[in-house]
Amino acid sequence: MTRLSVTDVIQELGISKSYLYKLIDKENISVSRSETGRYLWDKNTVKILKRILKIEGMQEVYDTEALISKLGLKQLFINNRRYLGNKYSLSGFIRKTVDENCKGVNVVIDIFSGTGAVANTFKDKMLITNDLLYSNYISNYAWFGCEEYSSKKIIELIYDYNQIKTNEHNYMRENFADTFFSADDCSKIGYIREDIEVKYKNKKINFKEYAILITTLLYAMDKIANTVGHYDAYRKNVDFEKTLILNVLLPEKNINSNNVCYNIDANELIKTIKGDLLYLDPPYNSRQYCDAYHLLENVARWEKPEVHGVAKKMDRSALKSDYCMITATKAFEQLIESANTKYILLSYNNMSDKGNDRSNAKISDEDILRILGKKGKVTIFELDYKSFSTGKSDIKDNKERLFLCEVFREKKKRINISCPFNYTGGKFKLLDQIQPLLNEKEVFLDLFAGGGNVGINSSSSKVIFNDSNEKLIDLIKFIKDIDTDLLLKGIDDIISKYGLSNTSLYGYSYYDCDSSSGLAKFNKERFLKLRDDFNSEILAGEIDYLKLYVLMVYSFNNQIRFNRKGLFNLPVGKRDFNSKMRSKLMLFSEALKSKEVQFMKKDFREIILDDFSKETFVYCDPPYLITNATYNENGMWSDEDEKALLEFLDKVNAKGFLFALSNVLESKNQKNDILYNWIESKGYYCNYLNKNYSNSNYHRKNKDSISEEVLITNYPME
């Protein structure tokens, strides 16, 4: 194949060299390399890049590129930082191992994430990153945290910071002058870091921008530091030739909205999270990372503590890792026992007896295999790798190993979670019958999500909730995005503000009501006041989802309904936010946060099947043609809609996707002939959902014994 130069490629694509490398990294594009590591370009790679560029919204990219160029700045990338044990050069090997040996990986936990080099290779997944060092947490949030930021603001601030010349006597100069940096560079670092802090406290930048600017400063410091890659010591009597220059960090803006970044002890965090893949890259030896990077940690935290000793270290006692001590094996065993994932992938080299005492690995191969072996089936993958050495060790034949543990699957009784509001047509009571009939895949597409009863209880780790009711989808997304404790407090505050009943605290007798007659008489005027306030905000172009949820809870049958003007129009109901509803909401909120969840607000006719992974299972619970539920009043679901949906499912079938359709064939002496004929003509399978005929096949039953609820599939039951 004809080889191209990098100049040929950027001219063909009309982009800069820096953006070319950014695009390759962003899209995880595989480009061959020579033995020396240089990219080997060809026409096929250019075709792939052209296709990606057509999909992307390029205007902002061009504007950003132009501004960076105009100001004479350079862009930095995640691998532009030195870090002990950094796995950037091994990230391809790690990703390849996962892709070839692990199925259904949608949620990746990188619990010792360091500077995020491995997390970056899984950025097409939902990421849960964690590191004990705040300096690494802030960097991970910069790269992977899902929050909007202004590229223009970042670029202009970086430019302004680079123009600064100062010799002010600030915290950095007073403590670190002419050690790791020159005295003037210390003044500049201190000035910039203080300015970032002030801007954040004054709300001139948000937390994402705050993290980006701090990370930019840390990268710039690391680039000129008078060290050998860590801050245990500095070289004395040197000329400081390099000066502090900040490059531009512009993280991706279409990062997974479900990403979460933590700064907590790994063994504590693992008890509260779950995912598909747990990637582990713990410290290998006795070198504490807080010792090696104390100065960057100091600048990131900006608490201005006293420093001691030649290396000017702050108090780091709270940052010591058990994995660097004799407790490493015990800590590792506790971590593995607590892990709730399908796969565990451990990076751990064969340094147990190759270096000096400080370099030797703290956990032996025997203990690794024993501990992982209790959890599941273990396979080892190896790659030759040059280890880090301080110069005191002559280390040969070093190999980086990946220990892949496929966790034993325990058959646990599934406990289903109910939607925290009474959405008409919800399938919670039928879940025990529906679930055994669903042939789920890696991704679960809930096409008519409604209240989310089926999707939230899917065994898939990635769930896509879609519904044409935009307010309903936005409400579920709001519940996912807000902290559960804040959600409950917000609801309690609204109940208190409007004086609505609270039987979970006071019972029914307090309101001179009983359970049978309900609370409508007491709540009516208060409810109408809340409804009026909510609707006034709607007319003003705003929507308060806390108020919407409270309205639904206190409305007739806990339902959601808007009139043609978009105003909430249900009357008051008999119930309130009792302990049962509170429990439902808590469980629903936490379940949403434990999965990779995406939200869509499309009519099914707008769905493009090519946008979905082939490992997607499609579930449909549309309005029923022959019933008159709240969501189907006044014939909102017509014969034409029914036919269009069935044609859509035919396309789903033709594309090779599996689907399941909830519906009714007969109800109140009405018969859905369109559905009957479709099943007969296409040969799909119809399963009856009642106590007598569960799991029976349409072709085997007498038509006189048809039940109302059915589940139609394009696959037979095993």
Side-chain angles (χ1 to χ4, degrees), residues 317-504:
S317 54
L319 302 175
K320 300 290 185 180
S321 171
D322 288 340
Y323 290 84
C324 298
M325 306 178 192
I326 59 173
T327 53
T329 301
K330 181 180 178 182
F332 177 67
E333 188 159 14
Q334 291 173 343
L335 181 74
I336 298 302
E337 287 174 353
S338 301
N340 184 3
T341 57
K342 298 177 187 176
Y343 301 95
I344 300 169
L345 187 67
L346 169 69
S347 283
Y348 215 75
N349 63 28
N350 60 342
M351 283 287 295
S352 59
D353 57 2
K354 290 180 177 290
N356 58 37
D357 288 341
R358 291 195 70 197
S359 297
N360 289 349
K362 289 295 181 184
I363 308 175
S364 68
D365 288 2
E366 292 76 11
D367 282 330
I368 290 173
L369 292 171
R370 172 181 61 81
I371 293 166
L372 290 178
K374 289 193 297 182
K375 192 78 172 181
K377 176 186 174 184
V378 181
T379 307
I380 302 174
F381 302 85
E382 291 189 336
L383 185 73
D384 289 335
Y385 183 59
K386 182 178 180 181
S387 69
F388 168 81
S389 171
T390 59
K392 299 177 181 179
S393 303
D394 183 16
I395 302 169
K396 297 178 180 178
D397 190 32
N398 188 49
K399 292 183 182 295
E400 185 68 29
R401 281 96 48 79
L402 296 178
F403 294 82
L404 176 62
C405 175
E406 184 177 354
V407 177
F408 296 135
R409 305 292 173 88
E410 296 180 21
K411 289 189 176 180
K412 298 180 181 178
K413 180 175 174 55
R414 181 183 292 191
I415 301 175
N416 287 320
I417 295 167
S418 175
C419 167
F421 38 85
N422 180 27
Y423 189 76
T424 303
K427 292 293 180 289
F428 182 73
K429 292 182 179 179
L430 289 172
L431 277 176
D432 288 341
Q433 294 182 57
I434 290 174
Q435 286 169 332
L437 305 176
L438 300 180
N439 193 342
E440 295 189 52
K441 301 294 181 182
E442 294 180 14
V443 182
F444 189 94
L445 172 57
D446 198 346
L447 200 61
F448 297 83
N453 275 312
V454 180
I456 196 66
N457 292 294
S458 166
S459 60
S460 302
S461 58
K462 180 174 181 178
V463 178
I464 303 171
F465 289 104
N466 177 71
D467 203 283
S468 57
N469 186 331
E470 295 188 6
K471 290 186 177 69
L472 185 63
I473 288 294
D474 287 339
L475 175 61
I476 297 174
K477 185 177 186 302
F478 173 80
I479 294 171
K480 173 179 171 55
D481 290 343
I482 189 173
D483 178 82
T484 303
D485 290 339
L486 291 177
L487 173 64
L488 294 171
K489 183 181 184 303
I491 292 168
D492 290 338
D493 288 347
I494 291 173
I495 291 170
S496 175
K497 177 181 177 181
Y498 287 88
L500 294 162
S501 66
N502 190 342
T503 56
S504 64

Side-chain angles (χ1 to χ4, degrees), residues 598-665:
Q598 294 182 3
F599 298 95
M600 295 167 51
K601 296 177 283 189
K602 294 185 177 182
D603 182 279
F604 69 89
R605 281 161 281 231
E606 300 171 357
I607 299 292
I608 300 173
L609 293 171
D610 289 340
D611 291 343
F612 299 94
S613 158
K614 290 298 181 183
E615 291 298 310
T616 299
F617 181 83
V618 182
Y619 173 71
C620 299
D621 183 23
Y624 294 167
L625 184 65
I626 56 175
T627 65
N628 292 305
T630 306
Y631 56 71
N632 195 25
E633 291 176 329
N634 303 317
M636 291 174 64
W637 186 263
S638 65
D639 286 4
E640 288 70 26
D641 294 316
E642 187 85 352
K643 291 174 183 177
L645 175 60
L646 301 183
E647 289 175 6
F648 174 81
L649 290 176
D650 285 337
K651 293 178 183 176
V652 170
N653 181 63
K655 288 278 189 181
F657 295 97
L658 298 185
F659 73 73
L661 167 66
S662 286
N663 218 306
V664 294
L665 288 170

Side-chain angles (χ1 to χ4, degrees), residues 513-531:
C513 299
D514 57 52
S515 179
S516 59
S517 61
L519 297 154
K521 182 178 178 181
F522 177 84
N523 282 323
K524 182 177 179 181
E525 295 303 320
R526 297 168 172 83
F527 173 86
L528 292 176
K529 170 61 176 168
L530 173 61
R531 192 179 74 178

Side-chain angles (χ1 to χ4, degrees), residues 28-41:
N28 287 322
I29 299 170
S30 178
V31 182
S32 299
R33 296 197 188 208
S34 68
E35 293 181 357
T36 59
R38 293 177 65 85
Y39 284 114
L40 301 175
W41 306 101

